[in-house]
Amino acid sequence: MSKCAAIWNKAHRSSGAAEAIEEIAQMRCVVPSVTRWSSEYRAIEKLISLTESQLNGICDHLKVAKLHPQETMFLKEYTAILKPLAYSINLLHGEKNCYFGYIVPTILSLKARLAEKLTQVQFSTHILSAVIKAIDTRFGKVFASHEA
């Protein structure tokens, strides 16, 4: 994550770095915002969508450490496992068509998708376990409620 942060910091602080990224990758660099969790997810997703040569070119131009293959695999796994969480959060943040009846099915569906991924991950078991535990802790009363 620190290598990703180094790229984002350079892109955010220097218009020359942002232009170089745009030239090498043919896309604008997404820099995470501290106020929205999903912005970091989206920024990582954008970085790993680049080819290895594009990513290495960006790292060389910005003079930051290159991502090792295992780090790239971790980031790909990270985005794959957190995609259902990002989708669920965006659904529940909705201003329109988001009602109380959406909460329990969305959260239960999220838990089921995350539990399925527990057997498929190599690097992120602890992240998945923590998210599932947090869901149970946060929404335990909702799950137990007859009204919900």
Side-chain angles (χ1 to χ4, degrees), residues 24 53-66:
I24 293 168
S53 63
Q54 288 174 322
L55 196 52
N56 287 338
I58 289 170
C59 290
D60 287 340
H61 189 275
L62 300 181
K63 296 181 175 72
V64 297
K66 294 179 184 177

Side-chain angles (χ1 to χ4, degrees), residues 33-136:
S33 163
V34 293
T35 58
R36 294 193 65 99
W37 168 86
S38 61
S39 70
E40 182 176 298
Y41 164 79
R42 300 271 183 240
I44 292 171
E45 190 176 47
K46 274 281 204 193
L47 276 181
I48 64 165
S49 71
L50 301 174
T51 65
E52 187 177 341
S53 63
Q54 288 174 322
L55 196 52
N56 287 338
I58 289 170
C59 290
D60 287 340
H61 189 275
L62 300 181
K63 296 181 175 72
V64 297
K66 294 179 184 177
L67 291 168
H68 298 291
Q70 283 189 324
E71 293 168 329
T72 305
M73 286 174 41
F74 168 77
L75 291 174
K76 286 180 181 181
E77 186 176 282
Y78 177 85
T79 57
I81 64 171
L82 292 182
K83 186 174 186 173
L85 179 61
Y87 179 80
S88 297
I89 288 172
N90 285 339
L91 179 67
L92 295 175
H93 274 159
E95 298 273 331
K96 297 180 181 177
N97 300 323
C98 185
Y99 304 102
F100 186 63
Y102 280 85
I103 294 172
V104 174
T106 301
I107 300 302
L108 290 175
S109 174
L110 171 63
K111 269 186 66 173
R113 282 189 250 152
L114 293 176
E116 284 176 9
K117 292 183 181 284
L118 268 172
T119 60
Q120 303 167 356
V121 295
Q122 181 179 357
F123 302 107
S124 307
T125 306
H126 63 287
I127 295 171
L128 270 175
S129 299
V131 171
I132 292 169
K133 183 179 178 186
I135 289 170
D136 287 336

